Amino acid sequence: VHGVNINLCISGTMMAATRPSTSTSPLLLSSVALTACMGIVGTLLVAGNNKEHPKFVGRSMVAPARAGFAARTTPNFYPALLSNRVSLNSKNPSTLFDSADNCRSMRVNADFMPPPVSETTTKFHGSFKHPLPMIYSSFVSRLITEQHFVRYNRKYEYNPVFALGVCSVMDQVFESLGEDKKQQLFEAYIGALSETPATYRADQSSLEEWAKSKAAADIAPKADGDQFEKLLAGISENSENFLYSKFFSIGLFRMLELTGAKDPKALENLVTSLNLKMEPVIRDLNYYKSSLSALIMAQELKKEAEARNKKRMEEAMAKKSEAIKKMANRKM
């Protein structure tokens, strides 16, 4: 919560309780006190972003980048850590703190509060109320979870290539649902991520028309080129800060597919020109291809099972009708 003070006060009485007895090792108690305080600091920092506290010397406690918290401490917080020096031969662990004020409070400021995945999925199911077969519902859950963490990453910036990738996945996976239900699902999906479905579709259409008019070799970053060439140039120039995702790689592949490219080198050339690594692109495309193949196979098996059940029902109805006719003939 923004502006919450989390008090870590250690009073003189509490510290007195840690003083060693004749049967307790001072070194052990020092280690326990150090570990406890570092655990508290680490817990709060791990809930934060990838910025280390300027006064905190432990490099191993760099926090993940998805959440956005900035931890600030009082200037005299934990003097042993500030000086990067802890005396191992201290006879009293309470000397790790000059006074209770040295470990008095930590203030956590929340400047970026993305919603949890559960909120996104709840919004989706609230908008799309149609039941889905199990093979589709599990796929939707996985997609929306993956895109949630992309959408609410600090580095995320919407772009048409990403939109093309998302739209291509949705169109391919849910094609058999029918156009109306597929569009309703798409609108609920994008709306749950607090984005605009119409923007995705408009950029998909524009980028597809653009790619169809190009050769594979012409799809490349150009700072003085058209709208999409400038977009690619911006990604290339800022590749270190660009948030790569599997939806972006699918968008790149779809662009090349629309040019009619057959040479596998075309994808490598495009990825290299964007100053991105080829390994994650190949990995994500292979994963998507295998997932799509598994889904198609599951759909075919489902259709075969439905056809067999329909045939059995027809045969059973035919036998029943035949039995009724025979009974009627006997009575006559």
Side-chain angles (χ1 to χ4, degrees), residues 49-73:
N49 58 11
N50 59 352
K51 296 180 180 178
E52 286 185 310
H53 185 274
K55 299 292 188 180
F56 191 77
V57 298
R59 294 183 178 274
S60 62
M61 288 192 176
V62 177
R66 281 199 294 269
F69 297 95
R72 299 173 184 172
T73 67

mmCIF file with all atom_site columns, all heavy atoms in Angstrom, residues 49-73:
data_model
loop_
_atom_site.group_PDB
_atom_site.id
_atom_site.type_symbol
_atom_site.label_atom_id
_atom_site.label_alt_id
_atom_site.label_comp_id
_atom_site.label_asym_id
_atom_site.label_entity_id
_atom_site.label_seq_id
_atom_site.pdbx_PDB_ins_code
_atom_site.Cartn_x
_atom_site.Cartn_y
_atom_site.Cartn_z
_atom_site.occupancy
_atom_site.B_iso_or_equiv
_atom_site.pdbx_formal_charge
_atom_site.auth_seq_id
_atom_site.auth_comp_id
_atom_site.auth_asym_id
_atom_site.auth_atom_id
_atom_site.pdbx_PDB_model_num
ATOM 1   N N   . ASN A 1 49 ? 11.221 -3.841  -7.428  1.00 0.00 ? 49 ASN A N   1
ATOM 2   C CA  . ASN A 1 49 ? 11.651 -3.868  -8.814  1.00 0.00 ? 49 ASN A CA  1
ATOM 3   C C   . ASN A 1 49 ? 13.113 -4.248  -8.895  1.00 0.00 ? 49 ASN A C   1
ATOM 4   O O   . ASN A 1 49 ? 13.690 -4.766  -7.959  1.00 0.00 ? 49 ASN A O   1
ATOM 5   C CB  . ASN A 1 49 ? 11.364 -2.509  -9.486  1.00 0.00 ? 49 ASN A CB  1
ATOM 6   C CG  . ASN A 1 49 ? 12.058 -1.382  -8.749  1.00 0.00 ? 49 ASN A CG  1
ATOM 7   O OD1 . ASN A 1 49 ? 12.891 -1.629  -7.894  1.00 0.00 ? 49 ASN A OD1 1
ATOM 8   N ND2 . ASN A 1 49 ? 11.694 -0.162  -9.085  1.00 0.00 ? 49 ASN A ND2 1
ATOM 9   N N   . ASN A 1 50 ? 13.711 -3.996  -10.066 1.00 0.00 ? 50 ASN A N   1
ATOM 10  C CA  . ASN A 1 50 ? 15.085 -4.444  -10.249 1.00 0.00 ? 50 ASN A CA  1
ATOM 11  C C   . ASN A 1 50 ? 16.099 -3.391  -9.833  1.00 0.00 ? 50 ASN A C   1
ATOM 12  O O   . ASN A 1 50 ? 17.237 -3.417  -10.273 1.00 0.00 ? 50 ASN A O   1
ATOM 13  C CB  . ASN A 1 50 ? 15.303 -4.843  -11.709 1.00 0.00 ? 50 ASN A CB  1
ATOM 14  C CG  . ASN A 1 50 ? 15.029 -3.693  -12.642 1.00 0.00 ? 50 ASN A CG  1
ATOM 15  O OD1 . ASN A 1 50 ? 14.543 -2.651  -12.235 1.00 0.00 ? 50 ASN A OD1 1
ATOM 16  N ND2 . ASN A 1 50 ? 15.321 -3.910  -13.911 1.00 0.00 ? 50 ASN A ND2 1
ATOM 17  N N   . LYS A 1 51 ? 15.703 -2.461  -8.988  1.00 0.00 ? 51 LYS A N   1
ATOM 18  C CA  . LYS A 1 51 ? 16.629 -1.445  -8.505  1.00 0.00 ? 51 LYS A CA  1
ATOM 19  C C   . LYS A 1 51 ? 17.102 -1.821  -7.109  1.00 0.00 ? 51 LYS A C   1
ATOM 20  O O   . LYS A 1 51 ? 16.302 -2.044  -6.219  1.00 0.00 ? 51 LYS A O   1
ATOM 21  C CB  . LYS A 1 51 ? 15.947 -0.079  -8.448  1.00 0.00 ? 51 LYS A CB  1
ATOM 22  C CG  . LYS A 1 51 ? 15.518 0.433   -9.824  1.00 0.00 ? 51 LYS A CG  1
ATOM 23  C CD  . LYS A 1 51 ? 14.846 1.782   -9.688  1.00 0.00 ? 51 LYS A CD  1
ATOM 24  C CE  . LYS A 1 51 ? 14.404 2.299   -11.057 1.00 0.00 ? 51 LYS A CE  1
ATOM 25  N NZ  . LYS A 1 51 ? 13.713 3.590   -10.943 1.00 0.00 ? 51 LYS A NZ  1
ATOM 26  N N   . GLU A 1 52 ? 18.395 -1.868  -6.927  1.00 0.00 ? 52 GLU A N   1
ATOM 27  C CA  . GLU A 1 52 ? 18.913 -2.097  -5.595  1.00 0.00 ? 52 GLU A CA  1
ATOM 28  C C   . GLU A 1 52 ? 18.794 -0.818  -4.777  1.00 0.00 ? 52 GLU A C   1
ATOM 29  O O   . GLU A 1 52 ? 18.911 0.283   -5.290  1.00 0.00 ? 52 GLU A O   1
ATOM 30  C CB  . GLU A 1 52 ? 20.385 -2.504  -5.658  1.00 0.00 ? 52 GLU A CB  1
ATOM 31  C CG  . GLU A 1 52 ? 20.615 -3.908  -6.153  1.00 0.00 ? 52 GLU A CG  1
ATOM 32  C CD  . GLU A 1 52 ? 22.079 -4.259  -6.066  1.00 0.00 ? 52 GLU A CD  1
ATOM 33  O OE1 . GLU A 1 52 ? 22.878 -3.451  -6.550  1.00 0.00 ? 52 GLU A OE1 1
ATOM 34  O OE2 . GLU A 1 52 ? 22.411 -5.292  -5.514  1.00 0.00 ? 52 GLU A OE2 1
ATOM 35  N N   . HIS A 1 53 ? 18.560 -0.992  -3.498  1.00 0.00 ? 53 HIS A N   1
ATOM 36  C CA  . HIS A 1 53 ? 18.620 0.168   -2.624  1.00 0.00 ? 53 HIS A CA  1
ATOM 37  C C   . HIS A 1 53 ? 20.054 0.680   -2.608  1.00 0.00 ? 53 HIS A C   1
ATOM 38  O O   . HIS A 1 53 ? 20.995 -0.109  -2.487  1.00 0.00 ? 53 HIS A O   1
ATOM 39  C CB  . HIS A 1 53 ? 18.167 -0.213  -1.210  1.00 0.00 ? 53 HIS A CB  1
ATOM 40  C CG  . HIS A 1 53 ? 18.094 0.974   -0.307  1.00 0.00 ? 53 HIS A CG  1
ATOM 41  N ND1 . HIS A 1 53 ? 19.180 1.427   0.386   1.00 0.00 ? 53 HIS A ND1 1
ATOM 42  C CD2 . HIS A 1 53 ? 17.072 1.823   -0.031  1.00 0.00 ? 53 HIS A CD2 1
ATOM 43  C CE1 . HIS A 1 53 ? 18.832 2.499   1.081   1.00 0.00 ? 53 HIS A CE1 1
ATOM 44  N NE2 . HIS A 1 53 ? 17.565 2.754   0.848   1.00 0.00 ? 53 HIS A NE2 1
ATOM 45  N N   . PRO A 1 54 ? 20.251 1.995   -2.768  1.00 0.00 ? 54 PRO A N   1
ATOM 46  C CA  . PRO A 1 54 ? 21.627 2.512   -2.870  1.00 0.00 ? 54 PRO A CA  1
ATOM 47  C C   . PRO A 1 54 ? 22.483 2.204   -1.658  1.00 0.00 ? 54 PRO A C   1
ATOM 48  O O   . PRO A 1 54 ? 23.696 2.172   -1.750  1.00 0.00 ? 54 PRO A O   1
ATOM 49  C CB  . PRO A 1 54 ? 21.418 4.026   -3.040  1.00 0.00 ? 54 PRO A CB  1
ATOM 50  C CG  . PRO A 1 54 ? 20.023 4.282   -2.580  1.00 0.00 ? 54 PRO A CG  1
ATOM 51  C CD  . PRO A 1 54 ? 19.255 3.047   -2.901  1.00 0.00 ? 54 PRO A CD  1
ATOM 52  N N   . LYS A 1 55 ? 21.849 1.967   -0.489  1.00 0.00 ? 55 LYS A N   1
ATOM 53  C CA  . LYS A 1 55 ? 22.604 1.686   0.717   1.00 0.00 ? 55 LYS A CA  1
ATOM 54  C C   . LYS A 1 55 ? 22.730 0.185   0.992   1.00 0.00 ? 55 LYS A C   1
ATOM 55  O O   . LYS A 1 55 ? 23.339 -0.220  1.965   1.00 0.00 ? 55 LYS A O   1
ATOM 56  C CB  . LYS A 1 55 ? 21.916 2.357   1.920   1.00 0.00 ? 55 LYS A CB  1
ATOM 57  C CG  . LYS A 1 55 ? 21.828 3.870   1.821   1.00 0.00 ? 55 LYS A CG  1
ATOM 58  C CD  . LYS A 1 55 ? 23.199 4.519   1.914   1.00 0.00 ? 55 LYS A CD  1
ATOM 59  C CE  . LYS A 1 55 ? 23.101 6.028   1.999   1.00 0.00 ? 55 LYS A CE  1
ATOM 60  N NZ  . LYS A 1 55 ? 24.409 6.661   2.084   1.00 0.00 ? 55 LYS A NZ  1
ATOM 61  N N   . PHE A 1 56 ? 22.102 -0.606  0.164   1.00 0.00 ? 56 PHE A N   1
ATOM 62  C CA  . PHE A 1 56 ? 22.097 -2.043  0.438   1.00 0.00 ? 56 PHE A CA  1
ATOM 63  C C   . PHE A 1 56 ? 23.167 -2.718  -0.407  1.00 0.00 ? 56 PHE A C   1
ATOM 64  O O   . PHE A 1 56 ? 23.191 -2.576  -1.618  1.00 0.00 ? 56 PHE A O   1
ATOM 65  C CB  . PHE A 1 56 ? 20.725 -2.632  0.119   1.00 0.00 ? 56 PHE A CB  1
ATOM 66  C CG  . PHE A 1 56 ? 20.560 -4.041  0.615   1.00 0.00 ? 56 PHE A CG  1
ATOM 67  C CD1 . PHE A 1 56 ? 20.331 -4.305  1.948   1.00 0.00 ? 56 PHE A CD1 1
ATOM 68  C CD2 . PHE A 1 56 ? 20.658 -5.095  -0.266  1.00 0.00 ? 56 PHE A CD2 1
ATOM 69  C CE1 . PHE A 1 56 ? 20.196 -5.596  2.398   1.00 0.00 ? 56 PHE A CE1 1
ATOM 70  C CE2 . PHE A 1 56 ? 20.527 -6.389  0.184   1.00 0.00 ? 56 PHE A CE2 1
ATOM 71  C CZ  . PHE A 1 56 ? 20.287 -6.650  1.514   1.00 0.00 ? 56 PHE A CZ  1
ATOM 72  N N   . VAL A 1 57 ? 24.046 -3.437  0.218   1.00 0.00 ? 57 VAL A N   1
ATOM 73  C CA  . VAL A 1 57 ? 25.231 -3.923  -0.476  1.00 0.00 ? 57 VAL A CA  1
ATOM 74  C C   . VAL A 1 57 ? 25.064 -5.340  -0.995  1.00 0.00 ? 57 VAL A C   1
ATOM 75  O O   . VAL A 1 57 ? 25.919 -5.837  -1.691  1.00 0.00 ? 57 VAL A O   1
ATOM 76  C CB  . VAL A 1 57 ? 26.458 -3.867  0.449   1.00 0.00 ? 57 VAL A CB  1
ATOM 77  C CG1 . VAL A 1 57 ? 26.741 -2.449  0.867   1.00 0.00 ? 57 VAL A CG1 1
ATOM 78  C CG2 . VAL A 1 57 ? 26.233 -4.745  1.687   1.00 0.00 ? 57 VAL A CG2 1
ATOM 79  N N   . GLY A 1 58 ? 23.976 -6.014  -0.654  1.00 0.00 ? 58 GLY A N   1
ATOM 80  C CA  . GLY A 1 58 ? 23.825 -7.418  -1.048  1.00 0.00 ? 58 GLY A CA  1
ATOM 81  C C   . GLY A 1 58 ? 23.331 -7.559  -2.466  1.00 0.00 ? 58 GLY A C   1
ATOM 82  O O   . GLY A 1 58 ? 22.168 -7.381  -2.754  1.00 0.00 ? 58 GLY A O   1
ATOM 83  N N   . ARG A 1 59 ? 24.194 -7.836  -3.393  1.00 0.00 ? 59 ARG A N   1
ATOM 84  C CA  . ARG A 1 59 ? 23.817 -7.917  -4.801  1.00 0.00 ? 59 ARG A CA  1
ATOM 85  C C   . ARG A 1 59 ? 22.876 -9.089  -5.094  1.00 0.00 ? 59 ARG A C   1
ATOM 86  O O   . ARG A 1 59 ? 22.200 -9.105  -6.097  1.00 0.00 ? 59 ARG A O   1
ATOM 87  C CB  . ARG A 1 59 ? 25.056 -8.038  -5.680  1.00 0.00 ? 59 ARG A CB  1
ATOM 88  C CG  . ARG A 1 59 ? 25.925 -6.793  -5.658  1.00 0.00 ? 59 ARG A CG  1
ATOM 89  C CD  . ARG A 1 59 ? 27.086 -6.936  -6.602  1.00 0.00 ? 59 ARG A CD  1
ATOM 90  N NE  . ARG A 1 59 ? 27.889 -5.725  -6.601  1.00 0.00 ? 59 ARG A NE  1
ATOM 91  C CZ  . ARG A 1 59 ? 27.644 -4.669  -7.366  1.00 0.00 ? 59 ARG A CZ  1
ATOM 92  N NH1 . ARG A 1 59 ? 26.601 -4.694  -8.171  1.00 0.00 ? 59 ARG A NH1 1
ATOM 93  N NH2 . ARG A 1 59 ? 28.412 -3.625  -7.310  1.00 0.00 ? 59 ARG A NH2 1
ATOM 94  N N   . SER A 1 60 ? 22.872 -10.088 -4.252  1.00 0.00 ? 60 SER A N   1
ATOM 95  C CA  . SER A 1 60 ? 22.034 -11.251 -4.502  1.00 0.00 ? 60 SER A CA  1
ATOM 96  C C   . SER A 1 60 ? 20.562 -10.966 -4.255  1.00 0.00 ? 60 SER A C   1
ATOM 97  O O   . SER A 1 60 ? 19.725 -11.788 -4.539  1.00 0.00 ? 60 SER A O   1
ATOM 98  C CB  . SER A 1 60 ? 22.468 -12.417 -3.601  1.00 0.00 ? 60 SER A CB  1
ATOM 99  O OG  . SER A 1 60 ? 22.299 -12.074 -2.244  1.00 0.00 ? 60 SER A OG  1
ATOM 100 N N   . MET A 1 61 ? 20.246 -9.789  -3.710  1.00 0.00 ? 61 MET A N   1
ATOM 101 C CA  . MET A 1 61 ? 18.859 -9.485  -3.387  1.00 0.00 ? 61 MET A CA  1
ATOM 102 C C   . MET A 1 61 ? 18.264 -8.490  -4.366  1.00 0.00 ? 61 MET A C   1
ATOM 103 O O   . MET A 1 61 ? 17.447 -7.659  -4.010  1.00 0.00 ? 61 MET A O   1
ATOM 104 C CB  . MET A 1 61 ? 18.737 -8.967  -1.958  1.00 0.00 ? 61 MET A CB  1
ATOM 105 C CG  . MET A 1 61 ? 18.941 -10.074 -0.936  1.00 0.00 ? 61 MET A CG  1
ATOM 106 S SD  . MET A 1 61 ? 18.466 -9.592  0.696   1.00 0.00 ? 61 MET A SD  1
ATOM 107 C CE  . MET A 1 61 ? 18.731 -11.125 1.581   1.00 0.00 ? 61 MET A CE  1
ATOM 108 N N   . VAL A 1 62 ? 18.672 -8.549  -5.622  1.00 0.00 ? 62 VAL A N   1
ATOM 109 C CA  . VAL A 1 62 ? 18.028 -7.746  -6.656  1.00 0.00 ? 62 VAL A CA  1
ATOM 110 C C   . VAL A 1 62 ? 16.670 -8.351  -6.915  1.00 0.00 ? 62 VAL A C   1
ATOM 111 O O   . VAL A 1 62 ? 16.537 -9.541  -7.110  1.00 0.00 ? 62 VAL A O   1
ATOM 112 C CB  . VAL A 1 62 ? 18.859 -7.748  -7.951  1.00 0.00 ? 62 VAL A CB  1
ATOM 113 C CG1 . VAL A 1 62 ? 18.151 -6.968  -9.031  1.00 0.00 ? 62 VAL A CG1 1
ATOM 114 C CG2 . VAL A 1 62 ? 20.232 -7.156  -7.675  1.00 0.00 ? 62 VAL A CG2 1
ATOM 115 N N   . ALA A 1 63 ? 15.627 -7.521  -6.933  1.00 0.00 ? 63 ALA A N   1
ATOM 116 C CA  . ALA A 1 63 ? 14.258 -8.026  -7.004  1.00 0.00 ? 63 ALA A CA  1
ATOM 117 C C   . ALA A 1 63 ? 13.779 -8.114  -8.439  1.00 0.00 ? 63 ALA A C   1
ATOM 118 O O   . ALA A 1 63 ? 14.333 -7.505  -9.327  1.00 0.00 ? 63 ALA A O   1
ATOM 119 C CB  . ALA A 1 63 ? 13.353 -7.099  -6.212  1.00 0.00 ? 63 ALA A CB  1
ATOM 120 N N   . PRO A 1 64 ? 12.721 -8.892  -8.696  1.00 0.00 ? 64 PRO A N   1
ATOM 121 C CA  . PRO A 1 64 ? 12.192 -9.007  -10.055 1.00 0.00 ? 64 PRO A CA  1
ATOM 122 C C   . PRO A 1 64 ? 11.607 -7.704  -10.555 1.00 0.00 ? 64 PRO A C   1
ATOM 123 O O   . PRO A 1 64 ? 11.228 -6.842  -9.773  1.00 0.00 ? 64 PRO A O   1
ATOM 124 C CB  . PRO A 1 64 ? 11.114 -10.091 -9.916  1.00 0.00 ? 64 PRO A CB  1
ATOM 125 C CG  . PRO A 1 64 ? 10.835 -10.204 -8.469  1.00 0.00 ? 64 PRO A CG  1
ATOM 126 C CD  . PRO A 1 64 ? 12.031 -9.734  -7.742  1.00 0.00 ? 64 PRO A CD  1
ATOM 127 N N   . ALA A 1 65 ? 11.513 -7.596  -11.879 1.00 0.00 ? 65 ALA A N   1
ATOM 128 C CA  . ALA A 1 65 ? 11.140 -6.316  -12.478 1.00 0.00 ? 65 ALA A CA  1
ATOM 129 C C   . ALA A 1 65 ? 9.650  -6.136  -12.679 1.00 0.00 ? 65 ALA A C   1
ATOM 130 O O   . ALA A 1 65 ? 9.211  -5.076  -13.032 1.00 0.00 ? 65 ALA A O   1
ATOM 131 C CB  . ALA A 1 65 ? 11.851 -6.166  -13.825 1.00 0.00 ? 65 ALA A CB  1
ATOM 132 N N   . ARG A 1 66 ? 8.839  -7.191  -12.466 1.00 0.00 ? 66 ARG A N   1
ATOM 133 C CA  . ARG A 1 66 ? 7.434  -7.067  -12.835 1.00 0.00 ? 66 ARG A CA  1
ATOM 134 C C   . ARG A 1 66 ? 6.662  -6.143  -11.909 1.00 0.00 ? 66 ARG A C   1
ATOM 135 O O   . ARG A 1 66 ? 5.878  -5.322  -12.342 1.00 0.00 ? 66 ARG A O   1
ATOM 136 C CB  . ARG A 1 66 ? 6.774  -8.446  -12.868 1.00 0.00 ? 66 ARG A CB  1
ATOM 137 C CG  . ARG A 1 66 ? 7.075  -9.226  -14.123 1.00 0.00 ? 66 ARG A CG  1
ATOM 138 C CD  . ARG A 1 66 ? 6.075  -10.319 -14.302 1.00 0.00 ? 66 ARG A CD  1
ATOM 139 N NE  . ARG A 1 66 ? 6.181  -11.306 -13.265 1.00 0.00 ? 66 ARG A NE  1
ATOM 140 C CZ  . ARG A 1 66 ? 6.942  -12.377 -13.352 1.00 0.00 ? 66 ARG A CZ  1
ATOM 141 N NH1 . ARG A 1 66 ? 7.668  -12.571 -14.418 1.00 0.00 ? 66 ARG A NH1 1
ATOM 142 N NH2 . ARG A 1 66 ? 6.978  -13.257 -12.386 1.00 0.00 ? 66 ARG A NH2 1
ATOM 143 N N   . ALA A 1 67 ? 6.837  -6.293  -10.591 1.00 0.00 ? 67 ALA A N   1
ATOM 144 C CA  . ALA A 1 67 ? 6.125  -5.414  -9.677  1.00 0.00 ? 67 ALA A CA  1
ATOM 145 C C   . ALA A 1 67 ? 6.881  -4.107  -9.575  1.00 0.00 ? 67 ALA A C   1
ATOM 146 O O   . ALA A 1 67 ? 8.017  -4.015  -9.994  1.00 0.00 ? 67 ALA A O   1
ATOM 147 C CB  . ALA A 1 67 ? 5.992  -6.070  -8.315  1.00 0.00 ? 67 ALA A CB  1
ATOM 148 N N   . GLY A 1 68 ? 6.301  -3.088  -8.982  1.00 0.00 ? 68 GLY A N   1
ATOM 149 C CA  . GLY A 1 68 ? 6.981  -1.809  -8.948  1.00 0.00 ? 68 GLY A CA  1
ATOM 150 C C   . GLY A 1 68 ? 6.990  -1.183  -7.587  1.00 0.00 ? 68 GLY A C   1
ATOM 151 O O   . GLY A 1 68 ? 6.142  -0.378  -7.264  1.00 0.00 ? 68 GLY A O   1
ATOM 152 N N   . PHE A 1 69 ? 7.933  -1.513  -6.779  1.00 0.00 ? 69 PHE A N   1
ATOM 153 C CA  . PHE A 1 69 ? 8.044  -0.922  -5.463  1.00 0.00 ? 69 PHE A CA  1
ATOM 154 C C   . PHE A 1 69 ? 9.441  -0.345  -5.302  1.00 0.00 ? 69 PHE A C   1
ATOM 155 O O   . PHE A 1 69 ? 10.409 -0.930  -5.743  1.00 0.00 ? 69 PHE A O   1
ATOM 156 C CB  . PHE A 1 69 ? 7.804  -1.956  -4.357  1.00 0.00 ? 69 PHE A CB  1
ATOM 157 C CG  . PHE A 1 69 ? 6.432  -2.543  -4.377  1.00 0.00 ? 69 PHE A CG  1
ATOM 158 C CD1 . PHE A 1 69 ? 6.198  -3.747  -5.025  1.00 0.00 ? 69 PHE A CD1 1
ATOM 159 C CD2 . PHE A 1 69 ? 5.376  -1.897  -3.767  1.00 0.00 ? 69 PHE A CD2 1
ATOM 160 C CE1 . PHE A 1 69 ? 4.932  -4.287  -5.054  1.00 0.00 ? 69 PHE A CE1 1
ATOM 161 C CE2 . PHE A 1 69 ? 4.117  -2.441  -3.792  1.00 0.00 ? 69 PHE A CE2 1
ATOM 162 C CZ  . PHE A 1 69 ? 3.882  -3.631  -4.435  1.00 0.00 ? 69 PHE A CZ  1
ATOM 163 N N   . ALA A 1 70 ? 9.522  0.786   -4.655  1.00 0.00 ? 70 ALA A N   1
ATOM 164 C CA  . ALA A 1 70 ? 10.825 1.380   -4.361  1.00 0.00 ? 70 ALA A CA  1
ATOM 165 C C   . ALA A 1 70 ? 11.000 1.370   -2.852  1.00 0.00 ? 70 ALA A C   1
ATOM 166 O O   . ALA A 1 70 ? 10.246 2.015   -2.128  1.00 0.00 ? 70 ALA A O   1
ATOM 167 C CB  . ALA A 1 70 ? 10.892 2.806   -4.894  1.00 0.00 ? 70 ALA A CB  1
ATOM 168 N N   . ALA A 1 71 ? 11.961 0.630   -2.368  1.00 0.00 ? 71 ALA A N   1
ATOM 169 C CA  . ALA A 1 71 ? 12.188 0.520   -0.928  1.00 0.00 ? 71 ALA A CA  1
ATOM 170 C C   . ALA A 1 71 ? 13.150 1.604   -0.477  1.00 0.00 ? 71 ALA A C   1
ATOM 171 O O   . ALA A 1 71 ? 14.215 1.769   -1.047  1.00 0.00 ? 71 ALA A O   1
ATOM 172 C CB  . ALA A 1 71 ? 12.745 -0.855  -0.595  1.00 0.00 ? 71 ALA A CB  1
ATOM 173 N N   . ARG A 1 72 ? 12.767 2.328   0.535   1.00 0.00 ? 72 ARG A N   1
ATOM 174 C CA  . ARG A 1 72 ? 13.626 3.385   1.064   1.00 0.00 ? 72 ARG A CA  1
ATOM 175 C C   . ARG A 1 72 ? 13.787 3.165   2.568   1.00 0.00 ? 72 ARG A C   1
ATOM 176 O O   . ARG A 1 72 ? 12.836 2.874   3.268   1.00 0.00 ? 72 ARG A O   1
ATOM 177 C CB  . ARG A 1 72 ? 13.002 4.762   0.827   1.00 0.00 ? 72 ARG A CB  1
ATOM 178 C CG  . ARG A 1 72 ? 12.805 5.061   -0.660  1.00 0.00 ? 72 ARG A CG  1
ATOM 179 C CD  . ARG A 1 72 ? 12.040 6.344   -0.844  1.00 0.00 ? 72 ARG A CD  1
ATOM 180 N NE  . ARG A 1 72 ? 11.766 6.565   -2.266  1.00 0.00 ? 72 ARG A NE  1
ATOM 181 C CZ  . ARG A 1 72 ? 10.978 7.522   -2.703  1.00 0.00 ? 72 ARG A CZ  1
ATOM 182 N NH1 . ARG A 1 72 ? 10.381 8.337   -1.867  1.00 0.00 ? 72 ARG A NH1 1
ATOM 183 N NH2 . ARG A 1 72 ? 10.779 7.672   -4.001  1.00 0.00 ? 72 ARG A NH2 1
ATOM 184 N N   . THR A 1 73 ? 14.984 3.331   3.048   1.00 0.00 ? 73 THR A N   1
ATOM 185 C CA  . THR A 1 73 ? 15.227 3.141   4.466   1.00 0.00 ? 73 THR A CA  1
ATOM 186 C C   . THR A 1 73 ? 15.766 4.411   5.075   1.00 0.00 ? 73 THR A C   1
ATOM 187 O O   . THR A 1 73 ? 16.172 5.336   4.369   1.00 0.00 ? 73 THR A O   1
ATOM 188 C CB  . THR A 1 73 ? 16.251 2.020   4.699   1.00 0.00 ? 73 THR A CB  1
ATOM 189 O OG1 . THR A 1 73 ? 17.509 2.446   4.205   1.00 0.00 ? 73 THR A OG1 1
ATOM 190 C CG2 . THR A 1 73 ? 15.858 0.736   4.014   1.00 0.00 ? 73 THR A CG2 1
#
